[in-house]
């Protein structure tokens, strides 16, 4: 089989030490979706890749497709470093939540340009975010909105228009990840209670562009309910919890 090279924009999701000098990178690429690659010599102080291949970096890569699972990085140009997010603890914590959500939800080598563009937009906006005290990265409206959009792009769109279990247009009082959305009082056994403000918040963060997430002006209680709905959806559909969310509590 002939080996090939590929040029693509990519975001570094995770970097793992592989040997004295090398790293294995988890990448989300525009052209192929999720890709793993080895960056040789990247950990040497005089690496030709410099610090370009760190998590959060938005890069243009020249990848060599070998015979194994991993591609090899042949060239890397920085598109955006996202240094303002990397050097601020609040933005960095929120950024890692977003990266881990992509890591867990988008595992296939399959181009999904909407997901890639949502990721780069999220990182661009994150560079400008100022933490409101007390700083709680897991409740940052931008990262909550990003995760709801990723769930939607993954096909786990929470159904919010009527009861997701019985289909009736009754008042909605809870969220059931198993039923796929909001449920009425009669169908709410084992479901997560959600207030009217909570549902308004979820709708706002889902329907607004990412840039409008912070302008929605949601109260902490509504943000907390959004987070619980997101975590319940991860557990029900993917069977996972985000490590980064557990860390920021
Ligand atoms: Zn119902």
């Amino acid at each position: 089989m002939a080996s090939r090279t590929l040029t693509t924009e990519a975001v570094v999701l995770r970097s793992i030490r592989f040997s004295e000098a090398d790293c294995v990178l988890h990448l989300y690429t525009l052209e192929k979706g999720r890709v793993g690659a080895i960056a040789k010599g990247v950990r040497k102080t005089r690496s030709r890749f410099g610090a370009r291949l760190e998590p959060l970096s938005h890069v243009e890569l020249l990848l060599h497709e070998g015979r194994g699972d991993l591609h090899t990085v042949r060239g890397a140009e920085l598109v955006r470093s996202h240094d303002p997010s990397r050097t601020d603890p609040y933005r960095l914590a929120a950024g890692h939540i977003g990266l881990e959500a992509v890591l867990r939800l988008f595992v296939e080598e399959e181009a999904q340009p909407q997901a890639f563009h949502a990721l780069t937009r999220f990182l661009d906006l994150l560079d400008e975010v100022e933490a409101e005290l007390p700083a709680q990265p897991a409740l940052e409206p931008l990262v909550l909105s990003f995760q709801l959009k990723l769930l939607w792009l993954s096909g786990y769109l929470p159904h919010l228009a009527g009861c997701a279990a019985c289909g009736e247009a009754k008042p909605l009082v809870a969220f059931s990840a198993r039923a796929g959305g909001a449920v009425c009082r009669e169908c709410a056994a084992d479901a997560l209670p959600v207030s009217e403000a909570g549902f308004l918040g979820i709708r706002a963060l889902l329907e607004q562009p990412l840039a409008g997430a912070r302008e929605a002006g949601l109260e902490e209680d509504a943000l907390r309910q959004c987070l619980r709905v997101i975590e319940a959806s991860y557990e029900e559909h993917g069977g996972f919890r985000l490590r980064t969310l557990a860390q920021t509590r």
Side-chain angles (χ1 to χ4, degrees):
M1 197 180 81
S3 57
R4 291 175 295 161
T5 55
L6 162 76
T7 304
T8 182
E9 278 186 61
V11 170
V12 181
L13 302 175
R14 184 179 287 175
S15 166
I16 300 163
R17 285 176 63 157
F18 183 67
S19 64
E20 201 57 37
D22 306 342
C23 276
V24 169
L25 306 175
H26 291 269
L27 303 167
Y28 198 72
T29 70
L30 176 59
E31 304 293 335
K32 300 196 84 170
R34 184 69 174 278
V35 160
I38 185 154
K40 291 187 174 153
V42 72
R43 302 186 56 239
K44 290 180 183 159
T45 41
R46 290 171 61 198
S47 163
R48 65 200 166 104
F49 298 129
R52 276 166 283 182
L53 296 174
E54 299 284 323
L56 300 180
S57 291
H58 178 178
V59 285
E60 176 141 326
L61 296 179
L62 180 63
L63 295 173
H64 177 80
E65 294 183 73
R67 289 193 296 174
D69 289 342
L70 291 176
H71 295 55
T72 304
V73 179
R74 286 284 164 83
E77 295 291 332
L78 204 53
V79 177
R80 293 196 209 280
S81 72
H82 295 300
D83 279 339
S85 293
R86 192 170 289 118
T87 52
D88 175 274
Y90 177 81
R91 292 182 199 138
L92 185 63
H96 275 299
I97 293 168
L99 295 185
E100 192 183 2
V102 176
L103 266 170
R104 302 306 302 260
L105 287 170
F106 294 87
V107 296
E108 302 290 331
E109 190 174 308
E110 176 192 21
Q112 217 165 329
Q114 279 181 298
F116 181 80
H117 293 307
L119 173 58
T120 56
R121 185 85 185 113
F122 163 68
L123 293 174
D124 288 350
L125 290 164
L126 187 65
D127 281 350
E128 312 275 314
V129 161
E130 298 294 340
E132 279 163 37
L133 296 174
Q136 300 179 87
L139 298 182
E140 165 56 41
L142 176 62
V143 79
L144 290 171
S145 179
F146 178 55
Q147 290 174 96
L148 284 169
K149 287 173 199 309
L150 292 180
L151 282 166
W152 182 76
L153 289 170
S154 311
Y156 304 138
L157 172 68
H159 180 88
L160 302 169
C163 177
C166 69
E168 300 213 19
K170 294 181 190 161
L172 303 168
V173 300
F175 179 84
S176 164
R178 182 157 304 162
V183 290
C184 72
R185 192 169 305 283
E186 283 70 35
C187 301
D190 312 328
L192 202 63
V194 177
S195 68
E196 203 179 330
F199 279 125
L200 283 172
I202 295 164
R203 274 203 199 93
L205 293 181
L206 199 54
E207 289 162 11
Q208 297 268 344
L210 282 173
R214 305 193 101 223
E215 284 147 36
L218 301 181
E219 302 285 339
E220 180 176 330
D221 188 49
L223 295 171
R224 225 169 255 294
Q225 294 185 49
C226 289
L227 177 59
R228 283 202 289 267
V229 164
I230 290 166
E231 292 191 292
S233 300
Y234 288 156
E235 282 201 48
E236 176 66 25
H237 298 299
F240 61 81
R241 290 162 183 248
L242 293 195
R243 194 177 42 85
T244 45
L245 281 176
Q247 282 171 353
T248 56
R249 290 272 156 68

